[in-house]
Amino acid sequence: MQACGLIVEYNPFHNGHVYHIQASREASGADCLIAVMSGSFLQRGEPAIIDKFHRAKAALSAGVDIVLELPYLYAVQSSDLFARGSVHTLNAVGVSSICFGSESGNISHFTKSYDIFKQEQSVYKTTLHEKLNQGLAFPEASRLAYQSIGLTTSEMNLAKPNNILGFSYVKTILDHKLPIDPLTITRTKSGYHDKRITDSIASATSIRNELIKEQSISDTADSALPEVTVNQLKAYQQQAALWHSWEHYFNLLHYRVMTMSQEELADIHGVDEGLEYRIKKSAQDVSSFHEWMNSIKTKRYTWTRLQRIFTHVLTNTKKTDADYIKNASSVPYVRLLGMTKTGQKYLNSCKKEMDVPLISSIIGITNPTLSIEEKASRAYYSILPAQKKKPFHHQELQPPVMV
Amino acid sequence: MQACGLIVEYNPFHNGHVYHIQASREASGADCLIAVMSGSFLQRGEPAIIDKFHRAKAALSAGVDIVLELPYLYAVQSSDLFARGSVHTLNAVGVSSICFGSESGNISHFTKSYDIFKQEQSVYKTTLHEKLNQGLAFPEASRLAYQSIGLTTSEMNLAKPNNILGFSYVKTILDHKLPIDPLTITRTKSGYHDKRITDSIASATSIRNELIKEQSISDTADSALPEVTVNQLKAYQQQAALWHSWEHYFNLLHYRVMTMSQEELADIHGVDEGLEYRIKKSAQDVSSFHEWMNSIKTKRYTWTRLQRIFTHVLTNTKKTDADYIKNASSVPYVRLLGMTKTGQKYLNSCKKEMDVPLISSIIGITNPTLSIEEKASRAYYSILPAQKKKPFHHQELQPPVMV
């Protein structure tokens, strides 16, 4: 059996993802599709709208065979670490290929860009540091550094978000000489043939915002999302009475910051350059998450970077915690969230050859990165009333979801 | 002008306190009554039902001239440290006497007991350690140690709660040779002449429980509490929409514990002897504060001791924070919460001779113990919705209440 890997967040699973599944199956010719998915918190530093199990179920119902959880320490990170964790997780379960969506849609442009990047790495680095020293945020500094080595042309534009992520995947595969074929499918609006998909991708962000704001499924959302997602959104809401957003966490986050010393805040992963003062000071007088973010945001501190930092504050993730993955050349474990019969068959065939443990239930396992995972998941559910939390914590200890 | 000191919590201010004020004025002959009062959290490790400013206002309206705040590090402690902080605060503002309620009601019995205690200190200590080593809780071990030196007789029974506290005050005064006369008034039911006061003291605890449970003033409470208290209870509830109890804090406390490592929990003041394991383990499956307490309580860990520990977890008070007061022979500052005209006159006359700063507004003051105070007050208000918190934090920065 051959497997193809997908790197996803499914927040929520939408029609574009259905297309990604179909196109990946076609492009790779694989019998088994394995998605590595962010857990409770997402790459841009936000709580997922519904929990990982409901998101996994939607994906499994729509054609994915296995869903693995990307460890928190890799998930809530900039693209390089996010890519490293995702690719290594997929490598650990022996995928032959990884298929990602990109604006480019042409894999040879990625591999060519990799060669250029390797040759011009010193120019890239010099420009990057120069721009960071000028006070630019990392994404902007990196864009200008890519520009300085000719990687923001129309053929391969590393200013586009999905190209950037895809390039990180390709870099990880080639840097570590992993036996994985990178594949890509077009992710721009015009690249899709189906009008319904086009529209739904374009509106994914606005639908997510609408879901969070209204806390109910509007007609627009209902028609733009696959039925599997609508079902899982409804099921989760019935159990938890809400869909998660940062504003739900404002009180906890504010309480936490107000009862931390500046020294403790400075120990949190991502809190650098005296940011602890800005966070403490601004906390005095804010009454919503949005207001707080706006009062700290600067050119250097982008919205996303600050959200990631606040996620680490909420989950109490320390600089010393992040050290676990700093120089790791593989992931500490692979955690299975759910699978189909096909997925199960694939895992049975590959698990003997795996170099890292495959975890299907976290009961009784003690491991420093798993305890970070537990803190993140506890923080995620902490906004629910005491009685509602219980079944979700129970779920964390259960065997994987079978669809 | 001469001042007499009272050591109080006013949770809430009740008819027994009115009597305490009248009797203290009579017994001391002082022109000015100064109360040192616990702030947001009380000696037995509970949030005060209403904030310190509303409690101070009730007391000022009923005959107290000055209300000072007992620093958190002394307030949420066993009786010896509570006494030390209270007596030193009153000494810092030059009181001539301190008048406390006790079951005994006879000050010469306290001073005689002090002499016995000094002579028999080694026997007391040996018995105390022996009993603690047998796994008894401190209060019970201490009671048996007092018994071993004959201090639990009918004349001076150091098994009674108010005698224990009073004896701590007397010990502090005499140990430090402070120029303060200890005075005491009877605090047992039969010691009061007024039937109304007797009843209201007897029912103070049940009324407090009723207030918290019903979150409204019943007819019983209305008739048992002085009007000044009813007014302040109503005023606070109108602003905050609740009266504080531990159950309101369960979610925050649980979130905190679930996102702390065992090592961090072991750094919290009062978490000793591996209690961090018990707290973490029990947290897995509880859904109320009461349930949590019951699941940890043992013979050694009394309800009160555990509540104090949970208060330190909630406010993030470390063992290193408690070091500030460990060997201190005076308080770091005296914080003024409110006063009458008489109180103001007294303070004007004494403040030049004070050895520690008199703080009437905490704006712009940085001091390690004040920052602990701020954390405690932030934690106290953290259960209120964002918009309701603001005026209370604002109040913390204002000049003292004038009545």
Side-chain angles (χ1 to χ4, degrees), chain A residues 250-252 254-256 258-260 264 284-285 287 314 316 318 374-375 378-379 382 384 386-387 389-390, chain B residues 250-252 254-256 258-260 264 284-285 287 314 316 318 374-375 378-379 382 384 386-387 389-390:
Chain A
F250 171 71
N251 236 21
L252 285 177
H254 194 248
Y255 155 73
R256 180 124 218 164
M258 293 315 303
T259 54
M260 275 173 112
E264 287 176 293
Q284 300 290 332
D285 216 40
S287 43
L314 184 77
N316 193 26
K318 304 274 172 60
E374 206 206 332
K375 281 198 289 180
R378 289 286 183 170
S382 60
L384 307 184
Q387 284 301 344
K389 266 185 262 192
K390 277 196 178 178
Chain B
F250 171 71
N251 236 20
L252 285 176
H254 195 248
Y255 155 72
R256 180 126 217 161
M258 294 314 305
T259 54
M260 275 173 111
E264 287 175 293
Q284 301 289 333
D285 215 40
S287 43
L314 184 77
N316 194 25
K318 305 274 172 63
E374 206 205 334
K375 281 197 290 179
R378 290 287 182 170
S382 60
L384 307 185
Q387 284 300 342
K389 265 184 264 192
K390 275 195 178 180

Short mmCIF file of all heavy atoms in Angstrom, two decimals, chain A residues 250-252 254-256 258-260 264 284-285 287 314 316 318 374-375 378-379 382 384 386-387 389-390, chain B residues 250-252 254-256 258-260 264 284-285 287 314 316 318 374-375 378-379 382 384 386-387 389-390:
data_model
loop_
_atom_site.label_atom_id
_atom_site.label_comp_id
_atom_site.label_asym_id
_atom_site.label_seq_id
_atom_site.Cartn_x
_atom_site.Cartn_y
_atom_site.Cartn_z
N PHE A 250 -10.73 35.46 26.73
CA PHE A 250 -10.18 36.74 27.21
C PHE A 250 -10.04 36.77 28.73
O PHE A 250 -9.00 37.14 29.27
CB PHE A 250 -11.03 37.93 26.73
CG PHE A 250 -10.61 39.21 27.39
CD1 PHE A 250 -9.40 39.81 27.06
CD2 PHE A 250 -11.40 39.80 28.38
CE1 PHE A 250 -8.98 40.97 27.70
CE2 PHE A 250 -10.98 40.96 29.02
CZ PHE A 250 -9.78 41.55 28.67
N ASN A 251 -11.08 36.35 29.43
CA ASN A 251 -11.06 36.42 30.90
C ASN A 251 -9.94 35.57 31.51
O ASN A 251 -9.24 36.01 32.41
CB ASN A 251 -12.41 35.96 31.45
CG ASN A 251 -13.02 37.02 32.34
OD1 ASN A 251 -12.64 38.20 32.24
ND2 ASN A 251 -13.92 36.63 33.21
N LEU A 252 -9.80 34.35 31.01
CA LEU A 252 -8.74 33.45 31.51
C LEU A 252 -7.36 34.02 31.21
O LEU A 252 -6.48 34.03 32.06
CB LEU A 252 -8.85 32.08 30.84
CG LEU A 252 -9.96 31.14 31.29
CD1 LEU A 252 -9.91 29.88 30.44
CD2 LEU A 252 -9.80 30.79 32.76
N HIS A 254 -6.53 37.11 30.61
CA HIS A 254 -6.32 38.34 31.36
C HIS A 254 -5.99 38.03 32.82
O HIS A 254 -5.05 38.58 33.39
CB HIS A 254 -7.58 39.22 31.26
CG HIS A 254 -7.34 40.63 31.70
ND1 HIS A 254 -7.92 41.14 32.82
CD2 HIS A 254 -6.60 41.62 31.17
CE1 HIS A 254 -7.53 42.40 32.97
NE2 HIS A 254 -6.73 42.72 31.98
N TYR A 255 -6.76 37.11 33.40
CA TYR A 255 -6.49 36.65 34.76
C TYR A 255 -5.05 36.14 34.86
O TYR A 255 -4.32 36.48 35.78
CB TYR A 255 -7.48 35.56 35.16
CG TYR A 255 -6.97 34.63 36.24
CD1 TYR A 255 -6.86 35.06 37.55
CD2 TYR A 255 -6.57 33.34 35.93
CE1 TYR A 255 -6.36 34.22 38.54
CE2 TYR A 255 -6.07 32.49 36.91
CZ TYR A 255 -5.97 32.94 38.21
OH TYR A 255 -5.47 32.11 39.18
N ARG A 256 -4.68 35.33 33.89
CA ARG A 256 -3.34 34.73 33.92
C ARG A 256 -2.26 35.80 33.89
O ARG A 256 -1.33 35.79 34.70
CB ARG A 256 -3.18 33.82 32.71
CG ARG A 256 -1.84 33.14 32.64
CD ARG A 256 -2.01 31.66 32.57
NE ARG A 256 -1.01 30.96 33.32
CZ ARG A 256 -1.13 29.69 33.67
NH1 ARG A 256 -2.20 29.02 33.36
NH2 ARG A 256 -0.18 29.09 34.34
N MET A 258 -2.48 38.96 34.63
CA MET A 258 -2.52 39.84 35.80
C MET A 258 -1.96 39.17 37.05
O MET A 258 -1.62 39.86 38.00
CB MET A 258 -3.95 40.30 36.07
CG MET A 258 -4.56 41.21 35.03
SD MET A 258 -3.50 42.56 34.43
CE MET A 258 -3.11 43.41 35.95
N THR A 259 -1.88 37.86 37.07
CA THR A 259 -1.32 37.19 38.25
C THR A 259 0.06 36.58 37.96
O THR A 259 0.53 35.72 38.69
CB THR A 259 -2.27 36.09 38.77
OG1 THR A 259 -2.57 35.20 37.71
CG2 THR A 259 -3.56 36.66 39.32
N MET A 260 0.68 37.03 36.87
CA MET A 260 2.05 36.59 36.55
C MET A 260 2.99 37.77 36.77
O MET A 260 2.62 38.91 36.50
CB MET A 260 2.15 36.24 35.06
CG MET A 260 1.73 34.86 34.68
SD MET A 260 1.74 34.73 32.88
CE MET A 260 3.12 33.60 32.66
N GLU A 264 8.08 35.93 35.01
CA GLU A 264 7.39 34.71 34.57
C GLU A 264 6.91 34.85 33.13
O GLU A 264 6.99 33.92 32.34
CB GLU A 264 6.20 34.41 35.48
CG GLU A 264 6.59 33.91 36.86
CD GLU A 264 5.38 33.73 37.77
OE1 GLU A 264 4.74 34.74 38.12
OE2 GLU A 264 5.08 32.59 38.12
N GLN A 284 -3.65 46.44 31.80
CA GLN A 284 -4.29 47.26 32.83
C GLN A 284 -5.68 47.72 32.42
O GLN A 284 -6.56 47.83 33.26
CB GLN A 284 -3.45 48.52 33.13
CG GLN A 284 -2.04 48.26 33.63
CD GLN A 284 -2.00 47.68 35.04
OE1 GLN A 284 -2.91 47.93 35.82
NE2 GLN A 284 -0.99 46.89 35.34
N ASP A 285 -5.84 47.99 31.15
CA ASP A 285 -7.03 48.75 30.80
C ASP A 285 -7.81 48.21 29.60
O ASP A 285 -8.50 48.97 28.93
CB ASP A 285 -6.62 50.20 30.53
CG ASP A 285 -7.69 51.15 31.01
OD1 ASP A 285 -8.27 50.89 32.08
OD2 ASP A 285 -7.99 52.12 30.28
N SER A 287 -10.65 45.49 27.81
CA SER A 287 -11.78 44.66 28.21
C SER A 287 -12.24 43.70 27.13
O SER A 287 -13.32 43.13 27.20
CB SER A 287 -12.93 45.50 28.75
OG SER A 287 -13.14 46.62 27.96
N LEU A 314 -1.59 31.38 27.45
CA LEU A 314 -2.79 30.65 27.88
C LEU A 314 -2.47 29.21 28.26
O LEU A 314 -2.99 28.69 29.24
CB LEU A 314 -3.83 30.67 26.75
CG LEU A 314 -5.18 30.04 27.07
CD1 LEU A 314 -6.01 30.99 27.93
CD2 LEU A 314 -5.96 29.69 25.80
N ASN A 316 0.52 28.16 29.04
CA ASN A 316 1.71 28.15 29.91
C ASN A 316 2.86 27.37 29.28
O ASN A 316 3.50 26.54 29.92
CB ASN A 316 1.34 27.58 31.28
CG ASN A 316 2.41 27.83 32.33
OD1 ASN A 316 3.17 28.78 32.23
ND2 ASN A 316 2.47 26.97 33.34
N LYS A 318 6.50 27.24 27.99
CA LYS A 318 7.72 27.97 28.32
C LYS A 318 8.76 27.88 27.21
O LYS A 318 8.72 26.96 26.40
CB LYS A 318 8.34 27.34 29.57
CG LYS A 318 7.42 27.29 30.76
CD LYS A 318 7.49 28.57 31.54
CE LYS A 318 6.44 28.62 32.62
NZ LYS A 318 6.61 27.53 33.58
N GLU A 374 -1.28 17.86 26.84
CA GLU A 374 -2.39 17.80 27.79
C GLU A 374 -2.73 19.19 28.30
O GLU A 374 -3.90 19.54 28.42
CB GLU A 374 -2.05 16.87 28.96
CG GLU A 374 -3.32 16.30 29.59
CD GLU A 374 -3.16 15.91 31.04
OE1 GLU A 374 -2.04 15.57 31.46
OE2 GLU A 374 -4.19 15.97 31.76
N LYS A 375 -1.70 19.99 28.59
CA LYS A 375 -1.95 21.37 29.05
C LYS A 375 -2.73 22.14 27.99
O LYS A 375 -3.67 22.87 28.29
CB LYS A 375 -0.63 22.09 29.33
CG LYS A 375 -0.01 21.72 30.66
CD LYS A 375 1.03 22.75 31.09
CE LYS A 375 2.28 22.68 30.23
NZ LYS A 375 3.29 23.68 30.64
N ARG A 378 -6.32 20.94 27.93
CA ARG A 378 -7.03 21.44 29.12
C ARG A 378 -7.36 22.93 28.96
O ARG A 378 -8.45 23.38 29.32
CB ARG A 378 -6.18 21.24 30.37
CG ARG A 378 -6.06 19.80 30.78
CD ARG A 378 -7.34 19.30 31.40
NE ARG A 378 -7.21 17.92 31.85
CZ ARG A 378 -8.12 17.31 32.60
NH1 ARG A 378 -9.22 17.93 32.96
NH2 ARG A 378 -7.95 16.07 32.97
N ALA A 379 -6.40 23.68 28.48
CA ALA A 379 -6.63 25.12 28.28
C ALA A 379 -7.74 25.33 27.25
O ALA A 379 -8.61 26.18 27.42
CB ALA A 379 -5.34 25.81 27.83
N SER A 382 -11.08 24.75 28.79
CA SER A 382 -11.29 25.42 30.09
C SER A 382 -12.40 26.47 30.06
O SER A 382 -12.85 26.88 31.12
CB SER A 382 -9.99 26.05 30.58
OG SER A 382 -9.54 26.99 29.64
N LEU A 384 -15.35 25.92 28.95
CA LEU A 384 -16.64 25.24 29.09
C LEU A 384 -17.00 25.09 30.57
O LEU A 384 -16.12 24.97 31.41
CB LEU A 384 -16.60 23.85 28.45
CG LEU A 384 -16.13 23.75 27.00
CD1 LEU A 384 -16.26 22.30 26.52
CD2 LEU A 384 -16.91 24.67 26.10
N ALA A 386 -17.93 23.36 34.05
CA ALA A 386 -17.31 22.16 34.63
C ALA A 386 -17.93 20.86 34.13
O ALA A 386 -17.23 19.93 33.71
CB ALA A 386 -17.36 22.24 36.15
N GLN A 387 -19.24 20.76 34.14
CA GLN A 387 -19.90 19.51 33.78
C GLN A 387 -19.71 19.16 32.31
O GLN A 387 -19.64 17.99 31.95
CB GLN A 387 -21.40 19.55 34.13
CG GLN A 387 -21.68 19.39 35.62
CD GLN A 387 -21.17 18.06 36.19
OE1 GLN A 387 -20.85 17.13 35.46
NE2 GLN A 387 -21.04 18.00 37.50
N LYS A 389 -17.11 19.91 30.45
CA LYS A 389 -15.72 19.58 30.16
C LYS A 389 -15.45 18.08 30.20
O LYS A 389 -14.67 17.55 29.44
CB LYS A 389 -14.82 20.25 31.20
CG LYS A 389 -14.28 21.59 30.77
CD LYS A 389 -13.31 22.12 31.80
CE LYS A 389 -13.99 23.10 32.72
NZ LYS A 389 -13.06 23.85 33.56
N LYS A 390 -16.09 17.43 31.16
CA LYS A 390 -15.76 16.03 31.46
C LYS A 390 -15.73 15.09 30.26
O LYS A 390 -14.73 14.41 30.04
CB LYS A 390 -16.71 15.48 32.53
CG LYS A 390 -16.29 15.83 33.94
CD LYS A 390 -17.02 14.95 34.95
CE LYS A 390 -16.57 15.25 36.35
NZ LYS A 390 -17.30 14.45 37.36
N PHE B 250 -13.94 28.41 40.88
CA PHE B 250 -13.56 27.04 40.55
C PHE B 250 -12.94 26.92 39.15
O PHE B 250 -11.88 26.31 38.97
CB PHE B 250 -14.74 26.08 40.69
CG PHE B 250 -14.42 24.71 40.14
CD1 PHE B 250 -13.54 23.88 40.82
CD2 PHE B 250 -14.96 24.26 38.94
CE1 PHE B 250 -13.21 22.63 40.31
CE2 PHE B 250 -14.63 23.02 38.43
CZ PHE B 250 -13.76 22.20 39.11
N ASN B 251 -13.58 27.53 38.18
CA ASN B 251 -13.10 27.40 36.79
C ASN B 251 -11.69 27.97 36.61
O ASN B 251 -10.85 27.34 35.96
CB ASN B 251 -14.06 28.13 35.84
CG ASN B 251 -14.56 27.19 34.76
OD1 ASN B 251 -14.49 25.98 34.92
ND2 ASN B 251 -15.04 27.75 33.67
N LEU B 252 -11.44 29.14 37.18
CA LEU B 252 -10.11 29.77 37.07
C LEU B 252 -9.06 28.92 37.79
O LEU B 252 -7.97 28.68 37.27
CB LEU B 252 -10.12 31.16 37.72
CG LEU B 252 -10.80 32.29 36.97
CD1 LEU B 252 -10.77 33.55 37.84
CD2 LEU B 252 -10.13 32.56 35.64
N HIS B 254 -9.16 25.75 38.51
CA HIS B 254 -8.98 24.48 37.82
C HIS B 254 -8.14 24.67 36.56
O HIS B 254 -7.20 23.91 36.29
CB HIS B 254 -10.36 23.90 37.47
CG HIS B 254 -10.32 22.46 37.09
ND1 HIS B 254 -10.58 22.02 35.80
CD2 HIS B 254 -10.02 21.35 37.80
CE1 HIS B 254 -10.45 20.71 35.75
NE2 HIS B 254 -10.11 20.27 36.95
N TYR B 255 -8.46 25.70 35.80
CA TYR B 255 -7.67 26.03 34.61
C TYR B 255 -6.20 26.21 34.99
O TYR B 255 -5.30 25.69 34.34
CB TYR B 255 -8.21 27.32 33.96
CG TYR B 255 -7.19 28.06 33.14
CD1 TYR B 255 -6.75 27.57 31.92
CD2 TYR B 255 -6.64 29.25 33.61
CE1 TYR B 255 -5.79 28.24 31.18
CE2 TYR B 255 -5.68 29.93 32.89
CZ TYR B 255 -5.26 29.42 31.67
OH TYR B 255 -4.30 30.09 30.96
N ARG B 256 -5.99 26.98 36.07
CA ARG B 256 -4.61 27.26 36.50
C ARG B 256 -3.86 25.97 36.83
O ARG B 256 -2.74 25.76 36.37
CB ARG B 256 -4.66 28.16 37.73
CG ARG B 256 -3.29 28.52 38.25
CD ARG B 256 -3.15 30.00 38.35
NE ARG B 256 -1.85 30.46 38.00
CZ ARG B 256 -1.57 31.71 37.66
NH1 ARG B 256 -2.53 32.60 37.59
NH2 ARG B 256 -0.37 32.06 37.37
N MET B 258 -4.52 22.92 35.96
CA MET B 258 -4.37 22.03 34.81
C MET B 258 -3.30 22.50 33.84
O MET B 258 -2.84 21.73 33.00
CB MET B 258 -5.70 21.87 34.06
CG MET B 258 -6.80 21.17 34.82
SD MET B 258 -6.32 19.64 35.69
CE MET B 258 -5.59 18.68 34.39
N THR B 259 -2.94 23.78 33.89
CA THR B 259 -1.90 24.27 32.98
C THR B 259 -0.59 24.57 33.72
O THR B 259 0.26 25.28 33.21
CB THR B 259 -2.37 25.53 32.22
OG1 THR B 259 -2.80 26.51 33.18
CG2 THR B 259 -3.51 25.23 31.27
N MET B 260 -0.47 24.04 34.94
CA MET B 260 0.79 24.18 35.69
C MET B 260 1.48 22.82 35.74
O MET B 260 0.80 21.80 35.82
CB MET B 260 0.49 24.54 37.15
CG MET B 260 0.29 26.00 37.42
SD MET B 260 -0.27 26.19 39.13
CE MET B 260 1.17 26.99 39.83
N GLU B 264 5.96 23.58 39.13
CA GLU B 264 5.46 24.93 39.38
C GLU B 264 4.52 24.95 40.58
O GLU B 264 4.53 25.87 41.38
CB GLU B 264 4.72 25.46 38.14
CG GLU B 264 5.65 25.82 37.00
CD GLU B 264 4.88 26.22 35.75
OE1 GLU B 264 4.18 25.36 35.16
OE2 GLU B 264 4.96 27.39 35.37
N GLN B 284 -8.15 15.99 37.98
CA GLN B 284 -8.59 15.30 36.76
C GLN B 284 -10.10 15.15 36.67
O GLN B 284 -10.67 15.21 35.60
CB GLN B 284 -7.97 13.88 36.70
CG GLN B 284 -6.46 13.81 36.70
CD GLN B 284 -5.84 14.31 35.40
OE1 GLN B 284 -6.47 14.25 34.35
NE2 GLN B 284 -4.63 14.83 35.47
N ASP B 285 -10.72 14.97 37.83
CA ASP B 285 -12.10 14.50 37.73
C ASP B 285 -13.10 15.24 38.62
O ASP B 285 -14.12 14.69 39.00
CB ASP B 285 -12.12 13.00 38.09
CG ASP B 285 -13.17 12.28 37.25
OD1 ASP B 285 -13.27 12.61 36.06
OD2 ASP B 285 -13.89 11.44 37.81
N SER B 287 -15.70 18.58 39.49
CA SER B 287 -16.42 19.63 38.79
C SER B 287 -16.97 20.70 39.71
O SER B 287 -17.82 21.49 39.28
CB SER B 287 -17.50 19.05 37.87
OG SER B 287 -18.18 18.01 38.50
N LEU B 314 -4.41 30.37 43.32
CA LEU B 314 -5.21 31.32 42.54
C LEU B 314 -4.48 32.64 42.33
O LEU B 314 -4.52 33.23 41.25
CB LEU B 314 -6.54 31.58 43.28
CG LEU B 314 -7.53 32.49 42.55
CD1 LEU B 314 -8.23 31.71 41.43
CD2 LEU B 314 -8.58 33.04 43.51
N ASN B 316 -1.23 33.00 42.60
CA ASN B 316 0.14 32.72 42.17
C ASN B 316 1.16 33.26 43.18
O ASN B 316 2.13 33.92 42.81
CB ASN B 316 0.38 33.32 40.77
CG ASN B 316 1.65 32.80 40.13
OD1 ASN B 316 2.13 31.72 40.45
ND2 ASN B 316 2.21 33.60 39.23
N LYS B 318 4.12 32.64 45.58
CA LYS B 318 5.19 31.64 45.64
C LYS B 318 5.80 31.54 47.04
O LYS B 318 5.70 32.47 47.83
CB LYS B 318 6.31 32.07 44.68
CG LYS B 318 5.87 32.28 43.26
CD LYS B 318 5.89 30.98 42.51
CE LYS B 318 5.27 31.13 41.15
NZ LYS B 318 6.00 32.07 40.29
N GLU B 374 -1.37 43.53 44.48
CA GLU B 374 -2.07 43.80 43.23
C GLU B 374 -2.52 42.49 42.58
O GLU B 374 -3.65 42.39 42.07
CB GLU B 374 -1.19 44.59 42.26
CG GLU B 374 -2.03 45.40 41.28
CD GLU B 374 -1.32 45.69 39.98
OE1 GLU B 374 -0.08 45.73 39.96
OE2 GLU B 374 -2.04 45.84 38.96
N LYS B 375 -1.65 41.48 42.61
CA LYS B 375 -2.03 40.18 42.04
C LYS B 375 -3.26 39.63 42.77
O LYS B 375 -4.18 39.11 42.15
CB LYS B 375 -0.87 39.17 42.17
CG LYS B 375 0.19 39.34 41.13
CD LYS B 375 1.09 38.10 41.04
CE LYS B 375 1.97 37.94 42.26
NZ LYS B 375 2.83 36.74 42.20
N ARG B 378 -6.31 41.58 41.69
CA ARG B 378 -6.70 41.20 40.33
C ARG B 378 -7.37 39.83 40.32
O ARG B 378 -8.37 39.62 39.63
CB ARG B 378 -5.47 41.17 39.41
CG ARG B 378 -4.90 42.53 39.12
CD ARG B 378 -5.78 43.28 38.16
NE ARG B 378 -5.21 44.57 37.82
CZ ARG B 378 -5.67 45.36 36.86
NH1 ARG B 378 -6.72 45.01 36.14
NH2 ARG B 378 -5.11 46.50 36.61
N ALA B 379 -6.81 38.91 41.06
CA ALA B 379 -7.40 37.57 41.12
C ALA B 379 -8.80 37.64 41.73
O ALA B 379 -9.73 36.99 41.25
CB ALA B 379 -6.51 36.63 41.94
N SER B 382 -11.25 38.87 39.20
CA SER B 382 -11.17 38.22 37.88
C SER B 382 -12.43 37.43 37.51
O SER B 382 -12.59 37.09 36.35
CB SER B 382 -9.95 37.30 37.82
OG SER B 382 -10.05 36.32 38.82
N LEU B 384 -15.37 38.67 37.62
CA LEU B 384 -16.38 39.60 37.09
C LEU B 384 -16.20 39.76 35.58
O LEU B 384 -15.09 39.64 35.07
CB LEU B 384 -16.25 40.97 37.75
CG LEU B 384 -16.25 41.02 39.28
CD1 LEU B 384 -16.23 42.47 39.76
CD2 LEU B 384 -17.47 40.31 39.85
N ALA B 386 -15.54 41.53 32.06
CA ALA B 386 -14.52 42.54 31.77
C ALA B 386 -14.97 43.97 32.10
O ALA B 386 -14.26 44.73 32.75
CB ALA B 386 -14.10 42.44 30.31
N GLN B 387 -16.16 44.34 31.66
CA GLN B 387 -16.60 45.72 31.83
C GLN B 387 -16.83 46.07 33.30
O GLN B 387 -16.63 47.21 33.72
CB GLN B 387 -17.87 46.00 31.02
CG GLN B 387 -17.63 46.16 29.53
CD GLN B 387 -16.67 47.32 29.19
OE1 GLN B 387 -16.43 48.20 29.99
NE2 GLN B 387 -16.10 47.28 27.99
N LYS B 389 -15.21 44.85 35.86
CA LYS B 389 -13.95 44.88 36.60
C LYS B 389 -13.36 46.29 36.68
O LYS B 389 -12.77 46.65 37.68
CB LYS B 389 -12.93 43.99 35.88
CG LYS B 389 -12.85 42.59 36.43
CD LYS B 389 -11.75 41.81 35.73
CE LYS B 389 -12.29 40.99 34.61
NZ LYS B 389 -11.33 40.01 34.09
N LYS B 390 -13.51 47.03 35.60
CA LYS B 390 -12.80 48.31 35.47
C LYS B 390 -12.96 49.25 36.66
O LYS B 390 -11.96 49.72 37.21
CB LYS B 390 -13.22 49.01 34.17
CG LYS B 390 -12.42 48.54 32.97
CD LYS B 390 -12.62 49.50 31.80
CE LYS B 390 -11.79 49.07 30.61
NZ LYS B 390 -11.95 49.98 29.47
#
